[in-house]
Each structure stands twice: as C-alpha cells, then as structure tokens.
Amino acid sequence: MIEVKNLTKVFQGNVKAVNSVSFKLDKGEIGCIIGTSGCGKTTTLKMINRLIEPSEGDVWVGNEECHDTDPVNWRRKIGYVIQKAGLLPHLTVEQNISLLSNILKKDKQYMVDRVTELLETINMPYEKFAKRYPIELSGGQQQRVGIARALMEDPPVMLMDEPFGALDPITRESLHEEFIGLNKRLKKTILMVTHDMDEAFKLGDKVILMNKGEIVQMGTREDLTQNPKNEFVESFVKGHANA
Ligand SMILES: Nc1ncnc2c1ncn2[C@@H]1O[C@H](COP(=O)(O)OP(=O)(O)OP(=O)(O)O)[C@@H](O)[C@H]1O
Ligand SMILES: [Mg+2]
C-alpha cells in the first residue's frame, strides 16, 4: 500500500537528511518510524506526502507512483497528522476538521454529519467541542482533533508525525486504545513517527529504526529485541523487550 525505494533528501548546503531509505507497508499495516532527534523521520513522511520533493527515489501509494499525479491530487488520498497537531488557531474545531472538504466544496450537510461522526470517534461530542477554538482545548484534545482532520476525507493511507507526543501516560494510553480500535475498524495503512520505543512496539506491525538519515534495522519487536543488528539497536531496545 505504501512503498518507498531509495528515498533520499539532500537539503541546501549538502545536508543529507535522508539517505536511500526503502520499506513497504501492506494494506492495514501500521509502521512506526523511531530514531534520534534529527535523524530524518519528518523529512521521510513529508517526502511521501510530497510536501518535500525527494532528491532521489520513488514513492508508491496504492498502485500509483508519486510522479504520475500532481501533488494536490496526491495528498487527497493521504491523511497527514502534523507534528504538534498543527491546528489553525483562528478556526473552530469543526472548521479545522472540515478544512480540506471545504476546499473540495463538499456538500454542507455531508460535512456536518461527517464532523459529528469523527468527533464521536475521538470521544469529543459535537455539542461540546465543535464550536471551540484550539486554544480552548487541552494538548491531548488538540492532537485528537488533528487525527480527526486527517480522517475527514477517509483516506486509505495515513501519515502521523508523533500524534501522541507530549501526552501524560493516562491520556496516551486511552488514545492508544482508540487508535488500535480505529485501525481495526477502518483498515487504514498507517505510517507513524514516534520517540517512544514502547509505543512503537505496542502499535507497530513493523518498527523502522533510523539513525543519521538511514534505516538501521526494520522488523517486529522480536526481530529487534532478539536479533539486534548492532549496538545502536541494542541500546535503543534495551529495557523495552516486554513492553
Ligand atoms: N528545510 C531544511 N533545510 C535544511 N535542513 C533541514 C531542513 N529540514 C530539516 N533539515 C535537517 O534535516 C535533518 C532531519 O530533519 P527531520 O525534521 O526529518 O528530523 P526528525 O527525525 O523528524 O527529528 P525530530 O525527532 O526532532 O522531529 C535535521 O538535521 C534537520 O536539521
Ligand atoms: Mg520530526
């Protein structure tokens, strides 16, 4: 469903942020990218979404190669949850969630119904939350609205950049449960970035461990904990074998 081959990004000044990254996710699979700060996680996600043009390499989503379609059409089939939720402060919860549908000039009643349904899904009832502004929400609620916004047009593929970052353990736990349920029900293919090894092992069918722009090792929890490829992997998974 998502496949990248030799994906590479060299920024101005010869900064190689991502170096020949390749992986594949089947339909309904969750992939978790994890690695040190600045190792190229967000850049990888943005290249798949074409917010950043790759210097080299190919991206497929479904049967389409990214250069066969213009970027705007390409992004419609991909839900993107931005690092730190990224809600527009001058728009209400409802307006934030229906932003893309509005641009696509969707039917008004459809939009209200869909927003109501999504707010239900993330446990934030329409009557209570739809008309609030982001500043009137907690951090975790903002993150949930960011997830709802990405789901609005029902994309088969979701890219999520630390969707559960900076949350207390209890809220995080309950969002994990919602997320697992959501994935089971909606069969989305999800590529997610996280800083948290326990989270990656809990949610990811595949864990993609990156360092300095490259994939060091990719696999299940068993692969990484039982057969770590080198000391870097060992130090990363240490203490997380039974998460
Ligand atoms: N527009 C840019 N121009 C030049 N360098 C950039 C640009 N964007 C990112 N970089 C560099 O590329 C590298 C990878 O950045 P990226 O945002 O992908 O990291 P990350 O793994 O998401 O980190 P974090 O965990 O801190 O979010 C970093 O060294 C960063 O400084
Ligand atoms: Mg990042």
Side-chain angles (χ1 to χ4, degrees), residues 77-97:
K77 60 182 179 179
I78 302 173
Y80 189 60
V81 181
I82 301 167
Q83 200 166 4
K84 308 243 181 326
L87 302 179
L88 297 173
H90 58 288
L91 299 182
T92 63
V93 165
E94 178 166 33
Q95 290 164 337
N96 264 291
I97 295 175

PDB file of all heavy atoms in Angstrom, residues 77-97:
ATOM      1  N   LYS A  77      -5.436  11.539  -1.062  1.00  0.00           N
ATOM      2  CA  LYS A  77      -5.619  10.150  -0.623  1.00  0.00           C
ATOM      3  C   LYS A  77      -4.773   9.828   0.607  1.00  0.00           C
ATOM      4  O   LYS A  77      -4.726   8.701   1.061  1.00  0.00           O
ATOM      5  CB  LYS A  77      -5.308   9.189  -1.771  1.00  0.00           C
ATOM      6  CG  LYS A  77      -3.907   9.290  -2.309  1.00  0.00           C
ATOM      7  CD  LYS A  77      -3.726   8.325  -3.469  1.00  0.00           C
ATOM      8  CE  LYS A  77      -2.328   8.460  -4.019  1.00  0.00           C
ATOM      9  NZ  LYS A  77      -2.074   7.552  -5.113  1.00  0.00           N
ATOM     10  N   ILE A  78      -4.075  10.832   1.115  1.00  0.00           N
ATOM     11  CA  ILE A  78      -3.205  10.623   2.269  1.00  0.00           C
ATOM     12  C   ILE A  78      -3.614  11.569   3.394  1.00  0.00           C
ATOM     13  O   ILE A  78      -3.630  12.778   3.208  1.00  0.00           O
ATOM     14  CB  ILE A  78      -1.735  10.907   1.897  1.00  0.00           C
ATOM     15  CG1 ILE A  78      -1.296  10.002   0.736  1.00  0.00           C
ATOM     16  CG2 ILE A  78      -0.832  10.717   3.109  1.00  0.00           C
ATOM     17  CD1 ILE A  78       0.075  10.327   0.187  1.00  0.00           C
ATOM     18  N   GLY A  79      -3.982  11.012   4.534  1.00  0.00           N
ATOM     19  CA  GLY A  79      -4.251  11.860   5.696  1.00  0.00           C
ATOM     20  C   GLY A  79      -2.946  12.155   6.391  1.00  0.00           C
ATOM     21  O   GLY A  79      -2.133  11.248   6.578  1.00  0.00           O
ATOM     22  N   TYR A  80      -2.725  13.406   6.769  1.00  0.00           N
ATOM     23  CA  TYR A  80      -1.444  13.755   7.381  1.00  0.00           C
ATOM     24  C   TYR A  80      -1.670  14.418   8.730  1.00  0.00           C
ATOM     25  O   TYR A  80      -2.347  15.437   8.823  1.00  0.00           O
ATOM     26  CB  TYR A  80      -0.685  14.705   6.444  1.00  0.00           C
ATOM     27  CG  TYR A  80       0.752  14.969   6.854  1.00  0.00           C
ATOM     28  CD1 TYR A  80       1.664  13.933   6.951  1.00  0.00           C
ATOM     29  CD2 TYR A  80       1.190  16.253   7.139  1.00  0.00           C
ATOM     30  CE1 TYR A  80       2.980  14.161   7.324  1.00  0.00           C
ATOM     31  CE2 TYR A  80       2.513  16.503   7.509  1.00  0.00           C
ATOM     32  CZ  TYR A  80       3.399  15.450   7.590  1.00  0.00           C
ATOM     33  OH  TYR A  80       4.702  15.683   7.959  1.00  0.00           O
ATOM     34  N   VAL A  81      -1.146  13.807   9.773  1.00  0.00           N
ATOM     35  CA  VAL A  81      -1.226  14.405  11.106  1.00  0.00           C
ATOM     36  C   VAL A  81       0.119  15.052  11.403  1.00  0.00           C
ATOM     37  O   VAL A  81       1.139  14.377  11.513  1.00  0.00           O
ATOM     38  CB  VAL A  81      -1.561  13.351  12.185  1.00  0.00           C
ATOM     39  CG1 VAL A  81      -1.655  13.996  13.556  1.00  0.00           C
ATOM     40  CG2 VAL A  81      -2.857  12.637  11.842  1.00  0.00           C
ATOM     41  N   ILE A  82       0.099  16.374  11.510  1.00  0.00           N
ATOM     42  CA  ILE A  82       1.332  17.151  11.631  1.00  0.00           C
ATOM     43  C   ILE A  82       1.882  17.058  13.051  1.00  0.00           C
ATOM     44  O   ILE A  82       1.124  16.963  14.021  1.00  0.00           O
ATOM     45  CB  ILE A  82       1.019  18.642  11.303  1.00  0.00           C
ATOM     46  CG1 ILE A  82       0.451  18.751   9.884  1.00  0.00           C
ATOM     47  CG2 ILE A  82       2.257  19.521  11.444  1.00  0.00           C
ATOM     48  CD1 ILE A  82      -0.172  20.098   9.602  1.00  0.00           C
ATOM     49  N   GLN A  83       3.225  17.093  13.167  1.00  0.00           N
ATOM     50  CA  GLN A  83       3.875  17.128  14.481  1.00  0.00           C
ATOM     51  C   GLN A  83       3.305  18.320  15.268  1.00  0.00           C
ATOM     52  O   GLN A  83       3.177  19.399  14.735  1.00  0.00           O
ATOM     53  CB  GLN A  83       5.391  17.283  14.284  1.00  0.00           C
ATOM     54  CG  GLN A  83       6.222  16.878  15.474  1.00  0.00           C
ATOM     55  CD  GLN A  83       7.720  16.714  15.130  1.00  0.00           C
ATOM     56  OE1 GLN A  83       8.156  16.977  14.017  1.00  0.00           O
ATOM     57  NE2 GLN A  83       8.492  16.271  16.119  1.00  0.00           N
ATOM     58  N   LYS A  84       2.900  18.134  16.506  1.00  0.00           N
ATOM     59  CA  LYS A  84       2.270  19.152  17.362  1.00  0.00           C
ATOM     60  C   LYS A  84       0.879  19.579  16.869  1.00  0.00           C
ATOM     61  O   LYS A  84       0.500  20.743  16.986  1.00  0.00           O
ATOM     62  CB  LYS A  84       3.159  20.395  17.483  1.00  0.00           C
ATOM     63  CG  LYS A  84       4.584  20.115  17.908  1.00  0.00           C
ATOM     64  CD  LYS A  84       4.898  20.761  19.236  1.00  0.00           C
ATOM     65  CE  LYS A  84       6.299  20.562  19.712  1.00  0.00           C
ATOM     66  NZ  LYS A  84       6.959  19.293  19.393  1.00  0.00           N
ATOM     67  N   ALA A  85       0.129  18.660  16.285  1.00  0.00           N
ATOM     68  CA  ALA A  85      -1.277  18.839  15.866  1.00  0.00           C
ATOM     69  C   ALA A  85      -1.465  19.861  14.742  1.00  0.00           C
ATOM     70  O   ALA A  85      -2.201  19.619  13.805  1.00  0.00           O
ATOM     71  CB  ALA A  85      -2.198  19.157  17.040  1.00  0.00           C
ATOM     72  N   GLY A  86      -0.831  21.026  14.830  1.00  0.00           N
ATOM     73  CA  GLY A  86      -0.868  21.986  13.724  1.00  0.00           C
ATOM     74  C   GLY A  86      -2.249  22.505  13.367  1.00  0.00           C
ATOM     75  O   GLY A  86      -2.546  22.719  12.200  1.00  0.00           O
ATOM     76  N   LEU A  87      -3.114  22.724  14.376  1.00  0.00           N
ATOM     77  CA  LEU A  87      -4.443  23.271  14.081  1.00  0.00           C
ATOM     78  C   LEU A  87      -4.330  24.763  13.794  1.00  0.00           C
ATOM     79  O   LEU A  87      -3.457  25.445  14.333  1.00  0.00           O
ATOM     80  CB  LEU A  87      -5.380  23.047  15.267  1.00  0.00           C
ATOM     81  CG  LEU A  87      -5.571  21.588  15.698  1.00  0.00           C
ATOM     82  CD1 LEU A  87      -6.498  21.521  16.905  1.00  0.00           C
ATOM     83  CD2 LEU A  87      -6.114  20.750  14.549  1.00  0.00           C
ATOM     84  N   LEU A  88      -5.231  25.274  12.953  1.00  0.00           N
ATOM     85  CA  LEU A  88      -5.223  26.711  12.665  1.00  0.00           C
ATOM     86  C   LEU A  88      -5.953  27.430  13.792  1.00  0.00           C
ATOM     87  O   LEU A  88      -7.129  27.143  14.056  1.00  0.00           O
ATOM     88  CB  LEU A  88      -5.880  26.977  11.310  1.00  0.00           C
ATOM     89  CG  LEU A  88      -5.125  26.345  10.137  1.00  0.00           C
ATOM     90  CD1 LEU A  88      -5.912  26.482   8.842  1.00  0.00           C
ATOM     91  CD2 LEU A  88      -3.739  26.957   9.979  1.00  0.00           C
ATOM     92  N   PRO A  89      -5.284  28.354  14.481  1.00  0.00           N
ATOM     93  CA  PRO A  89      -5.830  28.932  15.718  1.00  0.00           C
ATOM     94  C   PRO A  89      -7.097  29.779  15.517  1.00  0.00           C
ATOM     95  O   PRO A  89      -7.918  29.882  16.422  1.00  0.00           O
ATOM     96  CB  PRO A  89      -4.686  29.816  16.237  1.00  0.00           C
ATOM     97  CG  PRO A  89      -3.798  30.052  15.072  1.00  0.00           C
ATOM     98  CD  PRO A  89      -3.949  28.857  14.173  1.00  0.00           C
ATOM     99  N   HIS A  90      -7.260  30.337  14.315  1.00  0.00           N
ATOM    100  CA  HIS A  90      -8.418  31.214  14.084  1.00  0.00           C
ATOM    101  C   HIS A  90      -9.636  30.447  13.595  1.00  0.00           C
ATOM    102  O   HIS A  90     -10.671  31.033  13.326  1.00  0.00           O
ATOM    103  CB  HIS A  90      -8.038  32.321  13.090  1.00  0.00           C
ATOM    104  CG  HIS A  90      -7.566  31.773  11.773  1.00  0.00           C
ATOM    105  ND1 HIS A  90      -6.342  31.150  11.627  1.00  0.00           N
ATOM    106  CD2 HIS A  90      -8.161  31.732  10.565  1.00  0.00           C
ATOM    107  CE1 HIS A  90      -6.201  30.754  10.372  1.00  0.00           C
ATOM    108  NE2 HIS A  90      -7.300  31.094   9.708  1.00  0.00           N
ATOM    109  N   LEU A  91      -9.516  29.132  13.452  1.00  0.00           N
ATOM    110  CA  LEU A  91     -10.664  28.316  13.032  1.00  0.00           C
ATOM    111  C   LEU A  91     -11.141  27.449  14.195  1.00  0.00           C
ATOM    112  O   LEU A  91     -10.339  27.010  15.014  1.00  0.00           O
ATOM    113  CB  LEU A  91     -10.276  27.406  11.862  1.00  0.00           C
ATOM    114  CG  LEU A  91      -9.817  28.066  10.558  1.00  0.00           C
ATOM    115  CD1 LEU A  91      -9.534  26.993   9.506  1.00  0.00           C
ATOM    116  CD2 LEU A  91     -10.854  29.060  10.041  1.00  0.00           C
ATOM    117  N   THR A  92     -12.466  27.191  14.238  1.00  0.00           N
ATOM    118  CA  THR A  92     -13.013  26.323  15.273  1.00  0.00           C
ATOM    119  C   THR A  92     -12.605  24.880  14.997  1.00  0.00           C
ATOM    120  O   THR A  92     -12.079  24.559  13.931  1.00  0.00           O
ATOM    121  CB  THR A  92     -14.562  26.372  15.282  1.00  0.00           C
ATOM    122  OG1 THR A  92     -15.018  25.862  14.021  1.00  0.00           O
ATOM    123  CG2 THR A  92     -15.087  27.772  15.512  1.00  0.00           C
ATOM    124  N   VAL A  93     -12.903  24.013  15.973  1.00  0.00           N
ATOM    125  CA  VAL A  93     -12.657  22.581  15.818  1.00  0.00           C
ATOM    126  C   VAL A  93     -13.324  22.080  14.536  1.00  0.00           C
ATOM    127  O   VAL A  93     -12.710  21.418  13.700  1.00  0.00           O
ATOM    128  CB  VAL A  93     -13.208  21.818  17.055  1.00  0.00           C
ATOM    129  CG1 VAL A  93     -13.319  20.324  16.786  1.00  0.00           C
ATOM    130  CG2 VAL A  93     -12.314  22.095  18.273  1.00  0.00           C
ATOM    131  N   GLU A  94     -14.590  22.439  14.361  1.00  0.00           N
ATOM    132  CA  GLU A  94     -15.337  21.986  13.184  1.00  0.00           C
ATOM    133  C   GLU A  94     -14.693  22.479  11.889  1.00  0.00           C
ATOM    134  O   GLU A  94     -14.520  21.719  10.932  1.00  0.00           O
ATOM    135  CB  GLU A  94     -16.778  22.499  13.280  1.00  0.00           C
ATOM    136  CG  GLU A  94     -17.616  22.110  12.078  1.00  0.00           C
ATOM    137  CD  GLU A  94     -19.109  22.314  12.323  1.00  0.00           C
ATOM    138  OE1 GLU A  94     -19.461  23.259  13.069  1.00  0.00           O
ATOM    139  OE2 GLU A  94     -19.894  21.517  11.778  1.00  0.00           O
ATOM    140  N   GLN A  95     -14.313  23.756  11.875  1.00  0.00           N
ATOM    141  CA  GLN A  95     -13.704  24.320  10.661  1.00  0.00           C
ATOM    142  C   GLN A  95     -12.337  23.706  10.377  1.00  0.00           C
ATOM    143  O   GLN A  95     -11.980  23.483   9.221  1.00  0.00           O
ATOM    144  CB  GLN A  95     -13.574  25.846  10.798  1.00  0.00           C
ATOM    145  CG  GLN A  95     -14.908  26.554  10.754  1.00  0.00           C
ATOM    146  CD  GLN A  95     -14.815  27.994  11.267  1.00  0.00           C
ATOM    147  OE1 GLN A  95     -13.911  28.350  12.020  1.00  0.00           O
ATOM    148  NE2 GLN A  95     -15.774  28.821  10.851  1.00  0.00           N
ATOM    149  N   ASN A  96     -11.596  23.418  11.447  1.00  0.00           N
ATOM    150  CA  ASN A  96     -10.301  22.758  11.258  1.00  0.00           C
ATOM    151  C   ASN A  96     -10.478  21.375  10.640  1.00  0.00           C
ATOM    152  O   ASN A  96      -9.780  21.019   9.693  1.00  0.00           O
ATOM    153  CB  ASN A  96      -9.565  22.628  12.599  1.00  0.00           C
ATOM    154  CG  ASN A  96      -8.564  23.751  12.819  1.00  0.00           C
ATOM    155  OD1 ASN A  96      -7.538  23.834  12.140  1.00  0.00           O
ATOM    156  ND2 ASN A  96      -8.878  24.636  13.755  1.00  0.00           N
ATOM    157  N   ILE A  97     -11.429  20.614  11.178  1.00  0.00           N
ATOM    158  CA  ILE A  97     -11.611  19.234  10.698  1.00  0.00           C
ATOM    159  C   ILE A  97     -12.091  19.225   9.245  1.00  0.00           C
ATOM    160  O   ILE A  97     -11.679  18.395   8.441  1.00  0.00           O
ATOM    161  CB  ILE A  97     -12.592  18.454  11.610  1.00  0.00           C
ATOM    162  CG1 ILE A  97     -11.993  18.303  13.011  1.00  0.00           C
ATOM    163  CG2 ILE A  97     -12.898  17.077  11.032  1.00  0.00           C
ATOM    164  CD1 ILE A  97     -12.913  17.648  14.022  1.00  0.00           C
TER     165      ILE A  97
END
